[in-house]
Amino acid sequence: METIEKLLKDGNQALQNGDLSVAAQIYQSALEQDADNASAHNNLGFVLGQQQQWPEATTHLRTALRLDPQMSMAHCNLGQVLVATGDAQEGLEHLQKAVDCDPNNVTAWDNLARIRVLVGDYQAGEYAATRALKLQPNSAHLLTRLGISVAAQKRLPEALQCYQQAITIDRNYSEAWAQVGITHFLHNDLGSASEALEIAINLSPNDTNALRHLALIHLSMGKPDEAIAHFERLLTLQPDDDASRLDLAVIFLSAQKAKTALEQLELIRGSFRESSKFLFYQGLALQQNGQREEGKELLQNLADQHNDDYAEKARKMLQIH
């Protein structure tokens, strides 16, 4: 019978090789030998989180912390699972606890920075990114993380410097190229933005964020066919991206392809269908497709029931004053 230490080592190796199923099986075998092994619970919880098996991941990570309340990585992993399942407040508490337990845990600082920015606490995100970078000063990933937190505070030239330093360290780090492109886009330097995003996509063809921004840039440059191609590629990778699907529908509508626009709009699900933007373009598409009364009724309801820019556009179209 293999020792717990050997099983944990083998599980970690499988995890490094990207074989999540094998890693999970090995960690489970470790727990069959020792049900109170905190490391095995933490590692299995991490793998289950990667597989988006959220309830099971949460159970194992909470068990790890019951067995070892000061385990920094268990706090870090549980924090990420909680944020992913919608509990940002408790998630951030565990991420903060992770760095309190181990101030040298660069992974915890990195994830704390990411989540702080995600919830809009940009200064705290910058602080966490800075702490992570002090631990690994030559990390292209962490320089990019710092740049993102700085860019969120509208310090774009400083952010660009971070991304360029990251590229100097690793010219094949696609996220840094993507952020360079996005920053140039915000500066309305479409040529430089397009060039950087093309490099990012060549390095990482499935980067949906880079694809979306490159599509928007091509649209701004008057290249709708290129924009459509990038949006379609993005939606193949991420079919539930309703915002991008609506943007694609609007492009088809601008090209007088109302039927194709309506087909895209029909694929949008959930609460996004109740947004003013969706209702406005659906009404417009219906009218352009010859369904004038149905489109007019939709625009009328939007004008009557909402009070935002799209409702105002609807009123103008209906000549409501």
Side-chain angles (χ1 to χ4, degrees):
M1 181 181 292
E2 291 185 299
T3 65
I4 294 292
E5 291 74 18
K6 178 66 163 57
L7 287 169
L8 291 176
K9 182 179 179 180
D10 289 347
N12 294 344
Q13 185 60 56
L15 186 58
Q16 289 179 11
N17 294 339
D19 199 335
L20 298 182
S21 298
V22 171
Q25 290 173 3
I26 296 173
Y27 295 138
Q28 190 63 58
S29 296
L31 289 172
E32 288 170 4
Q33 287 192 36
D34 181 4
D36 290 335
N37 188 288
S39 293
H41 278 292
N42 171 62
N43 294 357
L44 181 55
F46 173 78
V47 171
L48 292 169
Q50 293 294 299
Q51 295 174 325
Q52 298 189 6
Q53 299 184 45
W54 306 123
E56 296 87 350
T58 302
T59 297
H60 283 286
L61 292 168
R62 289 195 188 281
T63 301
L65 288 172
R66 176 177 59 79
L67 295 166
D68 185 355
Q70 299 303 307
M71 182 180 281
S72 178
M73 280 310 304
H75 281 293
C76 179
N77 292 332
L78 180 56
Q80 292 178 80
V81 168
L82 290 169
V83 171
T85 54
D87 192 346
Q89 181 174 350
E90 188 184 356
L92 280 168
E93 289 171 2
H94 279 285
L95 286 165
Q96 185 62 54
K97 183 68 173 176
V99 297
D100 291 342
C101 291
D102 181 5
N104 292 321
N105 187 337
V106 66
T107 301
W109 282 115
D110 180 31
N111 282 290
L112 183 59
R114 177 175 63 87
I115 302 304
R116 288 291 188 196
V117 171
L118 186 66
V119 301
D121 192 352
Y122 305 134
Q123 288 185 336
E126 180 182 357
Y127 173 77
T130 300
R131 289 294 300 267
L133 193 58
K134 284 182 178 178
L135 295 168
Q136 289 185 5
N138 293 319
S139 168
H141 168 77
L142 295 176
L143 277 163
T144 303
R145 177 77 72 211
L146 178 60
I148 290 170
S149 67
V150 168
Q153 299 173 71
K154 303 187 186 306
R155 288 151 48 200
L156 298 183
E158 189 178 341
L160 197 57
Q161 287 182 346
C162 291
Y163 305 142
Q164 289 169 339
Q165 287 178 41
I167 291 168
T168 299
I169 292 170
D170 182 359
R171 291 194 62 80
N172 291 324
Y173 187 58
S174 63
E175 179 63 16
W177 283 109
Q179 293 301 327
V180 167
I182 292 168
T183 303
H184 283 310
F185 182 39
L186 294 173
H187 274 142
N188 204 34
D189 183 352
L190 301 183
S192 298
S194 177
E195 181 180 348
L197 287 165
E198 291 281 8
I199 293 172
I201 292 168
N202 284 334
L203 292 168
S204 181
N206 294 341
D207 185 339
T208 55
N209 190 35
L211 284 166
R212 175 174 174 76
H213 281 89
L214 188 56
L216 294 172
I217 287 167
H218 282 308
L219 193 59
S220 299
M221 296 172 73
K223 300 177 179 179
D225 291 341
E226 287 88 341
I228 289 170
H230 288 303
F231 273 126
E232 288 179 338
R233 168 67 177 157
L234 185 162
L235 290 166
T236 299
L237 298 166
Q238 199 167 294
D240 295 333
D241 186 346
D242 289 336
S244 292
R245 193 172 296 281
L246 180 52
D247 286 338
L248 178 59
V250 172
I251 297 173
F252 284 130
L253 194 58
S254 299
Q256 304 297 309
K257 297 179 179 179
K259 183 178 179 181
T260 308
L262 285 169
E263 289 171 354
Q264 291 296 324
L265 292 171
E266 282 302 310
L267 294 173
I268 294 174
R269 296 286 180 264
S271 59
F272 204 85
R273 293 182 67 87
E274 305 302 319
S275 69
S276 293
K277 183 177 180 179
F278 176 88
L279 295 171
F280 176 77
Y281 285 111
Q282 185 182 36
L284 215 59
L286 287 167
Q287 286 198 325
Q288 193 181 109
N289 197 47
Q291 299 164 263
R292 297 191 177 280
E293 289 304 315
E294 189 177 348
K296 182 179 179 181
E297 181 180 356
L298 200 60
L299 292 171
Q300 186 69 64
N301 290 337
L302 172 60
D304 292 342
Q305 298 173 15
H306 293 258
N307 187 26
D308 55 24
D309 289 344
Y310 287 102
E312 183 61 30
K313 289 180 180 180
R315 293 185 192 103
K316 288 179 179 179
M317 287 193 64
L318 297 164
Q319 296 184 336
I320 295 177
H321 300 284

